[in-house]
Amino acid sequence: MADITYKSKINKIRTFALSLIFIGFGIMYVGLLFKKIEWLMLIFIILGMIAIVFSTVVYFWIGMLSTRAVPIICPSCEKPTKMLGRVDACMHCKQTLTLDKSLEGKEFDESYNSKKQNK
Ligand SMILES: [Zn+2]
């Protein structure tokens, strides 16, 4: 994992879906620059639409994941959050969370530390 900052998985996927929408519009905009070459413009617009449709799919996927996520109260900021899998981060304060005591501080220890140092 090359991630430097560790974010809540749900937030991460949400950011990904949101950026897909922007990428989609970006691609369509590029397509408009090729107005004179009709087939090229069409390809860009279709690609852009695919990206936007895909982001909608990702949004649905987040919805499904959310129902499977375990709701917990964050021990650090005491707000309710949801976690996916055995390890995740709090949506509010990015406190790392784990359901498995043996994994505590292991899986994303490095990224978590480097993030603290950056601040
Ligand atoms: Zn928290």
Side-chain angles (χ1 to χ4, degrees):
M1 277 188 279
D3 282 341
I4 295 167
T5 54
Y6 196 86
K7 281 208 268 177
S8 156
K9 279 172 195 156
I10 291 175
N11 278 354
K12 218 186 233 177
I13 301 165
R14 209 171 268 156
T15 311
F16 172 67
L18 193 69
S19 49
L20 258 182
I21 292 179
F22 283 109
I23 291 166
F25 278 115
I27 294 170
M28 288 207 276
Y29 180 75
V30 172
L32 289 178
L33 299 179
F34 291 104
K35 253 188 295 202
K36 283 174 188 165
I37 315 164
E38 208 166 86
W39 62 270
L40 199 59
M41 183 184 82
L42 271 175
I43 286 173
F44 273 109
I45 286 174
I46 288 165
L47 282 177
M49 274 161 75
I50 289 170
I52 289 166
V53 168
F54 186 61
S55 86
T56 322
V57 173
V58 173
Y59 268 114
F60 273 110
W61 184 49
I62 299 167
M64 292 206 329
L65 283 179
S66 296
T67 59
R68 280 196 310 174
V70 184
I72 57 157
I73 303 292
C74 172
S76 182
C77 64
E78 292 177 346
K79 282 178 191 162
T81 182
K82 283 176 174 180
M83 62 178 293
L84 277 176
R86 286 203 296 181
V87 284
D88 206 346
C90 171
M91 286 178 182
H92 309 285
C93 65
K94 298 186 175 71
Q95 163 74 42
T96 49
L97 307 163
T98 178
L99 286 175
D100 193 335
K101 286 282 178 218
S102 64
L103 279 175
E104 215 153 62
K106 265 187 190 171
E107 205 147 297
F108 39 73
D109 201 29
E110 229 182 82
S111 54
Y112 190 50
N113 284 341
S114 62
K115 198 200 152 200
K116 263 189 169 173
Q117 281 163 8
N118 287 345
K119 268 190 177 172

